[in-house]
Amino acid sequence: MPNDRLRSGMLKKGLTPATLADRLGVDPKTVERWVTQSRNPYPRYRHSIAELLDESESYLWPDALPTQRAVQVSQSELVHIYPRRGAVPTDLWQQLLEKATRQVGVLVYGGLFLPEFNHRWVPTLREKALAGAQVELLFGDPEGKNIADRGDDEGIGAAMSSKILNALAFYKDLRDLDNVGIYYHDTILYNSIYRFDDEMLVNTHLYGTPAAYAPVMHLRRLGGGDLFDSYVASFNRVLGKKRAVWPEH
């Protein structure tokens, strides 16, 4: 049976068996067998292909790892869990950003604490974008229903919208950079997500509780794991509902 998921992923990225083979340093016939005969590549190739296609290994090759092993790998993706956001070491946010070279993604309602308490946050985002990294920042729509509901849940009302506008003021100098996308979303935010290449901080949300007092998971992507990629998929679904903060850009 052909691997239709792999074939589809390659088509979306404009990759042929020959071009994918060239990227991986393998024979094009090997890639054709992966596609047409559903052969499983070696783990090092699975990881590279998954990165190239922006898909998880478990999606492209669901039978590559036994179920129990896949569970163990996903558990290993959890580097640390903090009982509340305030317990995350203050320098960890900047350290993860400094290490990123390819992709930085932030999904929040406001996330005001980052630029407000770390004067290097926005300048470093600018440096990363100028160096070629893709930066995608998703903020709650100040006029959105779900943002209003969240403000009511936390007992702060319209202050939630004000926090979002305050946060955006820090990012205005990034608006003209080609590699930076700054967007609004009006989704129910189950988690705030901060992605730095293959590492991520996930701030869970608790009903009626400010995000600062909710737990944070530090995740690191591992080949064959599902946990990290599940949050990437969630981020991308919200990204699909975005609208530009500054439409004229």
Side-chain angles (χ1 to χ4, degrees), residues 207-219:
Y207 180 77
T209 303
Y213 301 115
V216 172
M217 295 183 293
H218 180 184
L219 306 179

Side-chain angles (χ1 to χ4, degrees), residues 175-176 244-249:
R175 60 187 293 184
D176 295 323
V245 170
W246 295 291
E248 70 273 14
H249 175 48

Side-chain angles (χ1 to χ4, degrees), residues 97-101 104 123-133 135:
L97 179 58
E98 294 279 2
K99 288 167 56 179
T101 59
V104 177
T124 306
L125 283 174
R126 183 178 182 84
E127 292 168 7
K128 294 297 174 180
L130 291 172
V135 177

Side-chain angles (χ1 to χ4, degrees), residues 113-200:
F113 73 99
L114 278 173
E116 190 172 44
F117 297 113
N118 178 5
H119 73 282
R120 286 291 301 148
W121 179 256
V122 174
T124 306
L125 283 174
R126 183 178 182 84
E127 292 168 7
K128 294 297 174 180
L130 291 172
Q134 182 65 44
V135 177
E136 293 166 324
L137 309 174
L138 287 154
F139 297 92
D141 187 335
E143 300 178 359
K145 178 185 181 301
N146 286 306
I147 283 69
D149 288 345
R150 180 68 182 184
D152 291 341
D153 292 343
E154 292 188 12
I156 61 174
M160 177 64 73
S161 295
S162 297
K163 289 170 66 175
I164 294 168
L165 295 174
N166 288 344
L168 281 170
F170 285 94
Y171 294 93
K172 61 184 179 180
D173 290 340
L174 303 182
R175 60 187 293 184
D176 295 323
L177 297 181
D178 290 338
N179 284 13
V180 177
I182 303 177
Y183 309 108
Y184 281 142
H185 70 93
D186 184 25
T187 63
I188 299 173
L189 197 60
Y190 299 103
N191 305 277
S192 294
I193 297 174
Y194 308 85
R195 180 185 179 182
F196 313 92
D197 287 349
D198 290 334
E199 294 197 63
M200 180 185 291

Side-chain angles (χ1 to χ4, degrees), residues 17-133:
T19 55
L20 182 58
D22 186 60
R23 294 275 194 97
L24 300 174
V26 300
D27 191 293
K29 292 183 179 179
T30 299
V31 177
E32 290 176 0
R33 285 192 288 270
W34 293 342
V35 175
T36 61
Q37 300 177 28
S38 203
R39 299 274 186 91
N40 288 332
Y42 289 124
R44 66 179 182 276
Y45 295 132
R46 291 202 303 266
H47 180 70
S48 297
I49 294 168
E51 280 197 336
L52 286 170
L53 303 187
D54 290 327
E55 297 285 2
S56 68
E57 291 185 47
S58 58
Y59 172 78
L60 293 171
W61 302 282
D63 300 323
L65 283 179
T67 301
Q68 185 57 37
R69 176 57 182 155
V71 170
Q72 291 172 346
V73 172
S74 293
Q75 290 173 339
S76 297
E77 290 186 303
L78 179 60
V79 177
H80 196 82
I81 186 165
Y82 301 92
R84 61 191 182 284
R85 196 180 68 200
V88 179
T90 54
D91 59 350
L92 181 59
W93 304 91
Q94 184 68 19
Q95 287 175 4
L96 292 175
L97 179 58
E98 294 279 2
K99 288 167 56 179
T101 59
R102 305 186 315 275
Q103 189 168 10
V104 177
V106 175
L107 170 61
V108 292
Y109 275 160
L112 181 59
F113 73 99
L114 278 173
E116 190 172 44
F117 297 113
N118 178 5
H119 73 282
R120 286 291 301 148
W121 179 256
V122 174
T124 306
L125 283 174
R126 183 178 182 84
E127 292 168 7
K128 294 297 174 180
L130 291 172

